[in-house]
Amino acid sequence: MAISQAIWSLDDQEELQPAELVSEKELEDLLADHIEILDKNWLLIGRQVRTTAGKYIDLLCMDHDGDLIVVELKKDLTPREVTAQAIDYASCMAELTLEKLGEQYLQFSGGQVTLDEAYAKKYGAVLDEDSINQNVKMVIVAAKMDDSTERIIRYLREKYGVDINIL
């Protein structure tokens, strides 16, 4: 069973109704400006990142270990196909070199900051080419999760140790 969260009014002591998003872009803009909503230890390294398959990852992040995190956004209920989409994107990112990641970040920062500089500022460490991108994690962010998506994600995590989650 999925864990659900609710927002409550302290004044009225009642659960607030969720607001609907107009578009996935609205959610993407919010999370790109405040990636700490998902994880304060993530470094955002790109938006709408084109994969080798010609598809676009909503948000691409990196953690302190140098592992990539593919973030797929859905403004409504998750379709069961979202897990295949996230896995496809992760498979495209798995072979990215530090050089390609650096190019991606430089483009994302508008040529202002290198990935090495951003990583050093965020984590206080030097980006190590040997440890970069050893694992690609997947996070699906959605307003609601359907039962089949929950079953698939739970199965992949428990049976095969796949690093996929949904928020």
Side-chain angles (χ1 to χ4, degrees):
M1 169 144 256
I3 297 170
S4 62
Q5 295 181 335
I7 299 175
W8 289 79
S9 165
L10 295 178
D11 293 332
D12 300 327
Q13 296 185 354
E14 63 183 39
E15 185 176 341
L16 299 176
Q17 296 303 310
E20 290 190 24
L21 295 169
V22 174
S23 68
E24 283 180 18
K25 185 178 181 321
E26 181 182 7
L27 179 59
E28 182 181 321
D29 290 343
L30 172 70
L31 294 175
D33 290 342
H34 302 283
I35 199 64
E36 68 275 5
I37 292 171
L38 298 179
D39 194 308
K40 67 180 181 174
N41 295 311
W42 288 354
L43 173 64
L44 181 63
I45 61 172
R47 293 177 65 170
Q48 294 300 313
V49 177
R50 186 178 168 92
T51 69
T52 54
K55 305 292 183 180
Y56 292 89
I57 299 169
D58 293 325
L59 300 172
L60 184 63
C61 300
M62 180 181 283
D63 68 14
H64 66 289
D65 293 326
D67 290 336
L68 296 179
I69 303 103
V70 169
V71 181
E72 178 56 29
L73 307 174
K74 298 295 178 200
K75 73 177 187 86
D76 294 315
L77 181 70
T78 57
R80 61 183 272 172
E81 295 79 12
V82 72
T83 51
Q85 184 180 11
I87 292 168
D88 181 32
Y89 293 169
S91 72
C92 290
M93 295 296 105
E95 301 302 318
L96 266 154
T97 63
L98 181 54
E99 180 182 351
K100 289 290 184 190
L101 287 169
E103 290 171 8
Q104 168 57 49
Y105 190 82
L106 199 56
Q107 179 184 349
F108 172 67
S109 74
Q112 300 297 309
V113 180
T114 67
L115 179 57
D116 289 333
E117 293 167 337
Y119 185 90
K121 181 178 179 186
K122 176 84 175 172
Y123 303 116
V126 175
L127 196 53
D128 179 19
E129 187 166 5
D130 292 334
S131 64
I132 191 109
N133 204 13
Q134 296 297 309
N135 186 33
V136 180
K137 302 167 184 175
M138 296 158 279
V139 175
I140 299 162
V141 178
K144 299 176 198 166
M145 175 177 54
D146 72 331
D147 292 340
S148 62
T149 301
E150 181 182 359
R151 273 193 316 275
I152 293 166
I153 288 174
R154 179 169 279 124
Y155 178 75
L156 290 171
R157 288 181 60 82
E158 293 173 2
K159 183 78 173 176
Y160 296 104
V162 175
D163 203 337
I164 186 170
N165 213 335
I166 189 163
L167 304 171

